[in-house]
Amino acid sequence: MALIKSIKGLTPKWGKECYFSENATIVGEVEMGDECSIWFNAVVRGDVAYVHMGNRVNVQDGACVHVTNKIGPTIIEDDVSIGHNATVHACTLRRGCLIGMGATVLDNAEVGEGAIVAAGALVLQGTKIGPHEIWGGVPAKFIKKTRPDQAESFAAHYVGYSKWYLEEDGLITPEPR
C-alpha cells in the first residue's frame, strides 16, 4: 500500500477507482478525482499549499508533484499525464496536457489544454503555454502545434494500465473521500 500521510491535520482525499503503487507517496492537502493513478516512486506532496487533481490524472514513475509556500498550489485538471521523473511545482496544468519524461514545470507556469511539454524540457517560472502547443528545450520554447488528440490520448492509456494492476492484485484503493 502507498504511503498516505497526514501533515498538520491535512489528509489526502481521492475519488473512486484510483490506483496507488505500493511505494508511491501522497502527503498533506492533496485532493484527486476518480480513476487517478500514482505510480512507482512518485510523490505528490501538498504540505505548504494544496494539490488539486481532477479525474483520470496519472503521475508516472519517479515523478514529483509539489507546491511552494506563499506562492501557491498545484492545480491539475482532468486527463493530464505527468511522465516518468517529471517535476511539477506550484503550477497549473490544463485539461488533457502531457508533461514529458524528465521535464520540469516551475512555479506559476501554466500549461494549456492539450499542450505537450517535451521530454527533458524546462518550463521557467511564470511561463504560459497555449492550448495545443508543443514546447521543448532548456529553457522551453514553442516548437509547433499538436495534432488532434495527441496529448489527450495518454491519460486514457493510463486508466487502462491502472485497471490491470487493480485487477491483478485484487486491490481496491482505500475508502474514497
Side-chain angles (χ1 to χ4, degrees):
M1 180 51 159
L3 173 60
I4 298 171
K5 183 176 181 72
S6 297
I7 186 80
K8 296 171 71 173
L10 302 170
T11 301
K13 297 178 178 133
W14 54 90
K16 298 174 186 167
E17 297 184 56
C18 292
Y19 169 72
F20 311 142
S21 76
E22 295 82 355
N23 58 357
T25 301
I26 306 164
V27 179
E29 193 173 2
V30 174
E31 184 172 345
M32 60 186 93
D34 298 336
E35 298 183 298
C36 292
S37 56
I38 312 299
W39 292 87
F40 301 96
N41 290 318
V43 175
V44 180
R45 186 159 61 106
D47 51 1
V48 297
Y50 66 90
V51 174
H52 176 81
M53 300 166 62
N55 298 311
R56 298 170 303 280
V57 172
N58 62 85
V59 180
Q60 298 170 21
D61 310 60
C64 178
V65 176
H66 195 226
V67 292
T68 301
N69 191 23
K70 299 181 182 166
I71 288 183
T74 296
I75 308 293
I76 303 169
E77 294 182 351
D78 296 344
D79 303 303
V80 170
S81 293
I82 300 172
H84 311 292
N85 294 310
T87 300
V88 169
H89 207 272
C91 59
T92 299
L93 306 180
R94 297 288 179 206
R95 181 181 192 95
C97 74
L98 168 65
I99 308 303
M101 295 181 287
T104 300
V105 182
L106 295 176
D107 297 2
N108 291 323
E110 182 175 329
V111 179
E113 181 176 338
I116 296 175
V117 174
L122 172 61
V123 178
L124 296 176
Q125 182 174 0
T127 300
K128 304 295 183 220
I129 295 175
H132 305 285
E133 293 180 352
I134 300 175
W135 283 51
V138 178
K141 304 269 189 240
F142 173 79
I143 297 173
K144 64 182 181 179
K145 295 296 262 181
T146 64
R147 294 184 312 274
D149 200 37
Q150 186 174 354
E152 294 88 343
S153 63
F154 283 87
H157 294 302
Y158 269 85
V159 168
Y161 301 154
S162 69
K163 303 262 187 258
W164 295 350
Y165 284 83
L166 289 168
E167 290 169 7
E168 180 74 23
D169 296 337
L171 293 176
I172 302 204
T173 51
E175 201 56 37
R177 59 184 143 129

